[in-house]
Amino acid sequence: MSKYDDLREKQIGSEEVFDGVILHLYKDTVELPNGNSATREVIRHVGAVAVVPVTDKGNVIIERQYRYPFDEVITEIPAGKLDSPTEDPLQAAKRELSEETGYSADEWIDMGIYIPTCAYCDEKIYMYLAKGLHRGEQNLDDDEFLHVEELPLPELVDQVMNGQITDGKTQAGILKAARILKI
Amino acid sequence: MSKYDDLREKQIGSEEVFDGVILHLYKDTVELPNGNSATREVIRHVGAVAVVPVTDKGNVIIERQYRYPFDEVITEIPAGKLDSPTEDPLQAAKRELSEETGYSADEWIDMGIYIPTCAYCDEKIYMYLAKGLHRGEQNLDDDEFLHVEELPLPELVDQVMNGQITDGKTQAGILKAARILKI
């Protein structure tokens, strides 16, 4: 019996609405704490990783990527989906950093879990700070397009604070890294 | 002609897959920069607001809410959906803060836009810092259940940094507020 037991909902039905490549959408029915029933639209997602890679000079490797839902090029820290729900997140982070930017890193600092949208999607993003970077070859998929750039961490903090950087994982990742590195 | 024109995708088809209460899911087809075609699974969302309400003593009003996708009670800053795509975000923030916590505020500081999941959902969250709080009556919907609590901002910063707070908008909102208030 926890102090939050009066908030819990109980699943009483589940219907798969869409089984996509990235998104798996369910329309579930739940029993609320007051006994009423309600509908929950839920996306099931495999999970993802994100990395704040910081060079010895204090620059961050970032990506400019076209994001279809916004019809805009968005500034983001390197990130990507897990290959499977059981993939080790740190291995996935190393793979995504290497494939998207060409960099590998000597030091990996766990920055915890970041949940993008707890109301309707079960995606978890495992977030890391990577230091001791070594430049190698980028290895994008044939149908993957992005620019890799390098910006000083203090400048990225300013861009988070003045609203230029809108991507949520990038806001949280940059501000966490700045606290860890005392910027 | 922008420097990122080589990244852009062009919509060549769109199919509505699910028209829900909260989520509207489309399976679109795009032409990639290399001429290939690809599928984009996109959720269209009305948009939302989130508020970091800070008392004169430096405490933050937070919520504990059961989140069905995780079957967990999650710690979050007050937040809620816009009533319509054209609703003024500041009005929505005032309404959500009042309904969920009972508080109104004298001072509202714009903390910019936070995009939870730019890869597959067009949701934008308009984020505010609210000061000069006045306590009133909470006014939850019949089927809405949450606990309102108050915690010192430095303690919430610690909980973001040590991984206890996993909700993304709460991580970004708390760390932004801490920078603005020099905590």
Side-chain angles (χ1 to χ4, degrees):
Chain A
M1 179 85 189
S2 108
K3 68 194 265 210
Y4 299 123
D5 277 353
D6 60 319
L7 299 174
R8 289 190 189 277
E9 300 172 0
K10 197 175 129 196
Q11 186 193 79
I12 52 181
S14 181
E15 177 199 345
E16 182 178 296
V17 178
F18 177 68
D19 182 29
V21 177
I22 303 200
L23 304 179
H24 310 275
L25 178 58
Y26 294 81
K27 195 173 154 184
D28 289 5
T29 310
V30 300
E31 186 185 302
L32 297 172
N34 63 2
N36 288 351
S37 66
T39 298
R40 294 285 173 254
E41 297 164 5
V42 188
I43 294 157
R44 303 291 176 189
H45 186 284
V46 70
V49 293
V51 185
V52 181
V54 184
T55 68
D56 294 345
K57 287 182 177 166
N59 290 338
V60 181
I61 313 300
I62 52 149
E63 299 177 358
R64 315 281 191 181
Q65 198 166 359
Y66 176 86
R67 292 306 198 168
Y68 180 73
F70 292 92
D71 189 21
E72 251 176 52
V73 172
I74 291 184
T75 300
E76 295 171 60
I77 53 175
K81 288 193 302 294
L82 299 181
D83 275 347
S84 78
T86 57
E87 188 186 17
D88 175 52
L90 180 56
Q91 288 311 312
K94 291 177 178 176
R95 183 194 62 236
E96 289 294 333
L97 180 64
S98 165
E99 285 178 4
E100 294 189 351
T101 72
Y103 281 93
S104 58
D106 291 333
E107 193 183 348
W108 289 82
I109 298 166
D110 185 348
M111 294 205 295
I113 287 171
Y114 166 97
I115 295 177
T117 44
C118 62
Y120 57 80
C121 178
D122 71 353
E123 180 180 5
K124 286 181 182 181
I125 300 180
Y126 299 84
M127 205 176 274
Y128 299 91
L129 174 59
K131 291 165 65 181
L133 302 185
H134 304 278
R135 196 168 193 166
E137 284 298 305
Q138 192 189 40
N139 184 21
L140 296 177
D141 293 339
D142 283 349
D143 286 347
E144 197 172 21
F145 304 89
L146 54 86
H147 291 196
V148 175
E149 300 180 16
E150 201 177 309
L151 278 177
L153 180 53
E155 189 173 325
L156 287 168
V157 170
D158 288 346
Q159 290 188 14
V160 169
M161 296 305 294
N162 71 18
Q164 269 182 274
I165 287 180
T166 54
D167 178 54
K169 67 183 176 301
T170 304
Q171 292 183 358
I174 291 294
L175 294 182
K176 281 186 181 186
R179 276 206 171 251
I180 291 171
L181 300 173
K182 304 192 192 306
I183 299 292
Chain B
M1 179 84 190
S2 108
K3 68 193 263 211
Y4 299 124
D5 277 354
D6 60 317
L7 298 174
R8 290 189 189 279
E9 300 172 359
K10 197 175 130 198
Q11 187 192 79
I12 52 180
S14 181
E15 178 200 347
E16 183 177 292
V17 179
F18 177 69
D19 182 29
V21 177
I22 303 198
L23 304 179
H24 310 276
L25 178 58
Y26 295 81
K27 194 174 154 185
D28 290 4
T29 310
V30 299
E31 186 186 302
L32 297 173
N34 62 4
N36 288 350
S37 67
T39 298
R40 293 286 172 255
E41 297 166 4
V42 189
I43 294 157
R44 303 292 177 188
H45 186 283
V46 71
V49 293
V51 184
V52 181
V54 183
T55 68
D56 294 345
K57 287 182 178 166
N59 290 338
V60 180
I61 313 301
I62 53 147
E63 299 178 357
R64 315 281 191 181
Q65 198 166 358
Y66 176 85
R67 292 305 197 169
Y68 179 73
F70 292 93
D71 189 24
E72 251 177 49
V73 172
I74 290 185
T75 301
E76 295 170 62
I77 53 175
K81 286 193 304 296
L82 299 181
D83 275 347
S84 77
T86 58
E87 188 185 19
D88 175 51
L90 180 56
Q91 289 309 312
K94 290 176 178 177
R95 183 193 63 236
E96 289 295 332
L97 180 64
S98 165
E99 285 178 6
E100 294 188 352
T101 71
Y103 281 93
S104 58
D106 291 333
E107 193 184 347
W108 290 82
I109 297 166
D110 186 348
M111 293 205 294
I113 287 171
Y114 166 98
I115 294 177
T117 44
C118 62
Y120 58 80
C121 178
D122 71 354
E123 180 180 6
K124 286 182 183 180
I125 300 181
Y126 299 85
M127 205 176 273
Y128 298 92
L129 174 59
K131 291 166 63 180
L133 300 185
H134 304 278
R135 195 168 193 164
E137 283 298 307
Q138 192 189 40
N139 183 22
L140 294 178
D141 294 339
D142 283 349
D143 286 345
E144 196 171 21
F145 304 89
L146 54 87
H147 290 197
V148 175
E149 300 180 18
E150 202 177 308
L151 278 178
L153 180 52
E155 189 173 325
L156 287 168
V157 170
D158 288 346
Q159 289 187 15
V160 169
M161 296 305 295
N162 71 19
Q164 269 182 276
I165 286 180
T166 53
D167 178 53
K169 66 182 178 299
T170 304
Q171 292 183 359
I174 291 296
L175 294 183
K176 281 186 181 189
R179 276 208 171 248
I180 291 171
L181 300 171
K182 303 191 192 307
I183 299 293

